[in-house]
Amino acid sequence: MVQGGGRWFTLSVPYRRPAVVDDRLAAARERLVAAATDLVAEAGWAGASVTAVAAAAGMSVGSVYQHFPSKSELVCEVFRRAAAQEVELIRAVAGEPSPARGVGLAAAAGDPVDRLVLAVALFTRRVLARRGLVHALLVAPSDSALEAQRRDFRRRYRDVFAALIRAGVEAGMLPTQDPVVAAAALTGAIGEVLAGPIPMAHDLPRDGGEAEPVVREVVEMALRCVGARPMLRGWSVAEGIG
């Protein structure tokens, strides 16, 4: 208490939660997101019920709601993180700057067509190796709250491909075309083959050398889509990306 004007006043000191409590809450939140991501990869968005997520994380249902007021908020967080990781990887091999890196990685060396080969090969390998999660990100029935994020996710892929196509046209390596239209067609074609309503991915090998013929087919399709002659000069590098 303090005195002022002949009267005593009680000062309230704001409560500051100990750092150890914040750390514990953050760790619990991460565990929930990881558990939900695994469930989505295995059984789609419907499989990531609050009850299932709580059980997988070894926590109570009440604890889930402490961190995420609704299932919608939980699945949106799963989508946001998984989508950001996938796009960041594609941007890296394409040489696109990003807030996380500032500049493209050294792995993005090469001309625009080489980098297009790298980006398409990486995307194809990611789908084959993590098809459950990528299918959920691209096309699986989901909470309506995810649709805006899904459109943005596909748009970011399209923009990476558009930048490479535009650079290829400017370098005289690709025929004149609208980069955005071509990139949208390319994004749609790859998604249709690997994760569309009639996906081939369920019948394709998951990883390893067995998947490489499929990766080559998708890359060659992408090159035809943008008017590039089939080429493998970037393939030795592409084989190490994924």
Side-chain angles (χ1 to χ4, degrees), residues 133-154:
L133 181 58
V134 177
H135 183 267
L137 294 177
L138 290 174
V139 298
S142 64
D143 189 296
S144 60
L146 287 180
E147 290 309 310
Q149 291 194 49
R150 177 172 282 165
R151 286 192 297 272
D152 180 64
F153 177 53
R154 295 177 70 93

Side-chain angles (χ1 to χ4, degrees), residues 194-206:
L194 298 173
I198 311 176
M200 292 177 56
H202 294 298
D203 302 319
L204 298 177
R206 287 191 175 271

Side-chain angles (χ1 to χ4, degrees), residues 106-226:
D111 61 47
V113 176
D114 281 336
R115 285 182 278 134
L116 181 63
V117 168
L118 291 173
V120 173
L122 173 62
F123 179 51
T124 304
R125 289 195 185 93
R126 297 287 291 180
V127 173
L128 293 176
R130 310 176 76 214
R131 64 192 66 184
L133 181 58
V134 177
H135 183 267
L137 294 177
L138 290 174
V139 298
S142 64
D143 189 296
S144 60
L146 287 180
E147 290 309 310
Q149 291 194 49
R150 177 172 282 165
R151 286 192 297 272
D152 180 64
F153 177 53
R154 295 177 70 93
R155 187 180 300 112
R156 284 186 284 169
Y157 267 108
R158 182 205 65 189
D159 290 348
V160 171
F161 290 141
L164 293 172
I165 295 168
R166 183 179 295 108
V169 171
E170 292 173 353
M173 302 184 66
L174 297 176
T176 300
Q177 58 196 292
D178 185 314
V180 175
V181 171
L186 177 56
T187 303
I190 296 173
E192 180 69 22
V193 170
L194 298 173
I198 311 176
M200 292 177 56
H202 294 298
D203 302 319
L204 298 177
R206 287 191 175 271
D207 50 31
E210 294 179 354
E212 288 310 296
V214 178
V215 177
R216 287 183 180 242
E217 285 292 334
V218 173
V219 168
E220 289 175 4
M221 176 198 71
L223 293 174
R224 289 193 298 270
C225 181
V226 299

Side-chain angles (χ1 to χ4, degrees), residues 74-86:
L74 172 59
V75 297
C76 282
E77 179 67 8
V78 170
F79 188 102
R80 184 187 66 78
R81 293 197 192 190
Q85 179 184 32
E86 296 301 320

